[in-house]
Amino acid sequence: MEPSRATTRRHLSTSPFKPKVPEPIKTFEVGDRVSHDKEGLGRISSVEGTYAVVVDLGGGKLLRVMSPFAKLHTL
């Protein structure tokens, strides 16, 4: 049995199926109010490029969230 391919297959222009469209990268700014699916409400206290953000959840609790920010939503 052969192992599965590690690469993705390219989309053929004659294919009846639509190609996968990558999701746009979320961007945040310092001071944005956000909601985290598990931790709750907070405010962005620092942004580390497009790779990570630090969320102040109140009470001195900080949370560092890495990209692609699936559980983080702006309010």
Side-chain angles (χ1 to χ4, degrees):
M1 222 171 134
E2 293 182 22
S4 63
R5 294 183 182 194
T7 60
T8 58
R9 295 181 180 185
R10 66 183 178 93
H11 178 73
L12 300 175
S13 61
T14 57
S15 173
F17 303 104
K18 293 183 180 178
K20 294 180 182 177
V21 178
E23 219 174 278
I25 297 173
K26 294 180 184 179
T27 57
F28 298 98
E29 294 181 14
V30 174
D32 285 351
R33 293 193 43 113
V34 293
S35 173
H36 189 271
D37 288 348
K38 184 177 176 185
E39 301 295 331
L41 299 175
R43 189 176 299 269
I44 301 293
S45 63
S46 69
V47 178
E48 301 170 7
T50 57
Y51 305 108
V53 295
V54 177
V55 181
D56 181 9
L57 299 170
K61 187 174 180 184
L62 297 175
L63 175 69
R64 186 168 189 248
V65 181
M66 301 294 290
S67 179
F69 312 115
K71 295 183 177 184
L72 199 61
H73 310 284
T74 56
L75 298 177

